[in-house]
Amino acid sequence: MLAILHPNTSLDDDAYRQTMHYLENLPGVSVRVHEIQGASQRLTEIYLLGDTKSLDKEEIEALPAVERAIRISDDYRILGRHRDDRRQSGFTYNGVEFSQSNLNVFAGLCAVDVPEHVEMMMQALEDNGEVCTRMGAYKPRTNPYSFQGHGKGCLPWVFEKAGKHGIKVVAMEITHESHIEEIDTCLEKLGRPTGVMLQVGTRNTQNFELLKAIGRQSTYPVLLKRGFGITLNESLNAAEYLASEGNANVIFCLRGMKTEAGQPHRNMVDFAHVPAVKRLTRMPVCVDPSHSVGSREKSPDGVLDVMHATAQGVIAGANMVLVDFHPKPEKALVDGPQALLMNELPAYLEDIRLCHDTWKKRQAIYQRLKGEATE
Ligand code: PEP
Ligand code: MN
């Protein structure tokens, strides 16, 4: 059961104290409090866990600080969508809104290499009005002898450049909990010129200790990649791990599944799951067409497979695109062959806008149908 308190309820209110006293004394029930800071108000959600079957919804709703109660199912308790659950999806971070109804593009380098390339990338983003990017500093690699990223050494100049070009959010994968502090210390020292979204890679989707460490902090939102060899349910549970530790600002990223059947693509593109994740949870959903498709192949229509895959995800309602670009792919240290080029950025962004608008128009068609049915 979930009890949602009246907006802006203060922890000093008598109503709050009385409510908590009642809930904490329910036999066999444990209580977890979640604070959500929205743009205009603070919401407190109280999760009642354990032996909650016999609890009476009306009785909980009668408590002085409670606005309404929702009976939640066992799966994805915090991030899931439950019956009669009208809670909003998403969050705002560093001035950028993330929700199940809008769209942000994170084009950037798979791996940070030299300042000149980072500069060119960020300049191109600024020229095109983009405020988010991806920049890998810690790279998990299949082969132990491959380049593993510049690590904390590159953070100061990457963050400074981001600030200079008006980038508000940098998606950056971390592979160890110590990287959270490295990023935080660096940003703090620089006066926080930009923000960071911590990325959990597909190889770490079920690294539960890493998930718990990331979930314990709420400074940075999280981009969780779907595990490439596990079920969707298992990956969604990994997201719930983050939320259960306190950080529910999570975006779920589809990035293709590892199977020989995916060929000629690097992975089997799984973007038909965009609406499924939105139905099952309240998380904004990201698609990563670069790591799904994995090449610059194009079909006779002249459109790259990476662009077609992006279109499929966005037209189905994706809320974020994470995509590899590089000014000189032949010099990229990681994933050059799948990178899009700087001169492809404007057309790509136009294509994405077109698909996002089309998704909105598609919704309107079916809303009309629903209207006719109830007339
Ligand atoms: C990445 O986005 O840089 C990456 C390594 O992706 P994945 O974890 O999905 O392979
Ligand atoms: Mn990569």
Side-chain angles (χ1 to χ4, degrees):
M1 180 93 74
L2 165 63
I4 301 175
L5 304 193
H6 296 290
N8 298 321
T9 297
S10 158
L11 307 192
D12 299 328
D13 287 354
D14 270 349
Y16 180 78
R17 262 189 241 121
Q18 281 167 26
T19 301
M20 284 308 275
H21 183 259
Y22 180 89
L23 296 176
E24 280 167 345
N25 285 297
L26 288 169
V29 173
S30 65
V31 173
R32 253 191 218 195
V33 181
H34 268 251
E35 297 279 341
I36 302 148
Q37 187 61 55
S40 60
Q41 60 183 26
R42 190 171 45 78
L43 260 192
T44 306
E45 296 181 344
I46 302 182
Y47 287 85
L48 304 173
L49 307 175
D51 187 13
T52 60
K53 287 230 162 41
S54 59
L55 292 183
D56 182 24
K57 186 166 171 285
E58 263 105 67
E59 206 172 308
I60 303 291
E61 284 181 333
L63 293 169
V66 176
E67 185 180 81
R68 66 203 151 92
I70 298 173
R71 203 168 269 293
I72 54 178
S73 47
D74 272 351
D75 276 343
Y76 330 130
R77 290 181 187 188
I78 299 172
L79 295 172
R81 275 190 190 283
H82 307 288
R83 208 149 55 86
D84 302 328
D85 188 352
R86 298 183 307 274
R87 286 176 298 164
Q88 286 183 341
S89 66
F91 55 91
T92 299
Y93 171 66
N94 210 22
V96 183
E97 189 201 329
F98 297 91
S99 77
Q100 281 194 341
S101 43
N102 74 344
L103 176 72
N104 293 290
V105 180
F106 282 62
L109 306 185
C110 180
V112 169
D113 44 29
V114 294
E116 184 200 354
H117 296 156
V118 171
E119 178 69 28
M120 287 164 89
M121 184 73 235
M122 291 186 179
Q123 184 66 56
L125 292 170
E126 186 178 8
D127 292 346
N128 284 279
E130 293 298 315
V131 295
C132 300
T133 190
R134 58 159 295 150
M135 288 285 156
Y138 308 95
K139 301 300 300 178
R141 304 304 301 280
T142 305
N143 183 334
Y145 306 111
S146 302
F147 172 66
Q148 320 251 319
H150 287 312
K152 76 172 177 184
C154 70
L155 301 181
W157 56 265
V158 170
F159 294 155
E160 262 169 4
K161 281 189 189 301
K164 174 180 145 198
H165 291 289
I167 300 290
K168 294 186 185 305
V169 189
V170 180
M172 183 173 275
E173 176 165 0
I174 64 164
T175 53
H176 191 272
E177 64 173 286
S178 60
H179 300 156
I180 306 171
E181 202 178 325
E182 290 179 8
I183 289 169
D184 192 57
T185 306
C186 180
L187 281 175
E188 188 62 33
K189 216 183 244 170
L190 297 172
R192 302 203 177 265
T194 188
V196 166
M197 179 179 289
L198 301 174
Q199 187 176 320
V200 178
T202 194
R203 292 160 188 80
N204 274 318
T205 309
Q206 285 189 313
N207 181 341
F208 298 116
E209 296 309 315
L210 180 64
L211 295 175
K212 285 196 261 182
I214 296 176
R216 279 194 293 272
Q217 61 78 42
S218 51
T219 311
Y220 305 104
V222 191
L223 179 67
L224 178 77
K225 291 275 191 101
R226 175 186 197 163
F228 55 21
I230 57 176
T231 63
L232 183 63
N233 171 274
E234 287 164 334
S235 290
L236 295 177
N237 269 310
E240 187 71 15
Y241 251 94
L242 294 159
S244 73
E245 291 291 325
N247 191 346
N249 291 348
V250 186
I251 296 177
F252 190 78
C253 182
L254 298 170
R255 50 82 68 213
M257 300 299 292
K258 205 180 178 83
T259 155
E260 291 303 310
Q263 284 177 11
H265 293 153
R266 180 171 167 180
N267 289 288
M268 178 69 106
V269 181
D270 54 353
F271 299 169
H273 283 175
V274 167
V277 177
K278 291 171 82 169
R279 174 176 72 245
L280 292 168
T281 77
R282 292 176 297 117
M283 287 186 278
V285 180
C286 175
V287 291
D288 176 344
S290 303
H291 291 82
S292 299
V293 171
S295 76
R296 287 185 50 82
E297 292 293 330
K298 65 166 88 146
S299 51
D301 59 15
V303 182
L304 297 181
D305 287 14
V306 169
M307 295 167 173
H308 272 304
T310 307
Q312 288 162 11
V314 175
I315 218 161
N319 309 111
M320 172 170 162
V321 178
L322 185 77
V323 56
D324 290 2
F325 268 75
H326 203 287
K328 294 182 189 144
E330 67 289 356
K331 294 206 172 146
L333 298 175
V334 184
D335 284 347
Q338 70 191 22
L340 301 184
L341 309 172
M342 292 303 106
N343 67 0
E344 291 169 333
L345 183 62
Y348 185 65
L349 292 171
E350 187 182 338
D351 190 5
I352 288 175
R353 275 193 293 273
L354 183 73
C355 292
H356 186 60
D357 284 348
T358 303
W359 169 67
K360 288 186 193 154
K361 288 184 185 143
R362 290 180 59 225
Q363 285 182 80
I365 299 176
Y366 296 104
Q367 285 294 335
R368 254 194 337 259
L369 198 67
K370 215 164 86 186
E372 281 164 19
T374 52
E375 266 166 24

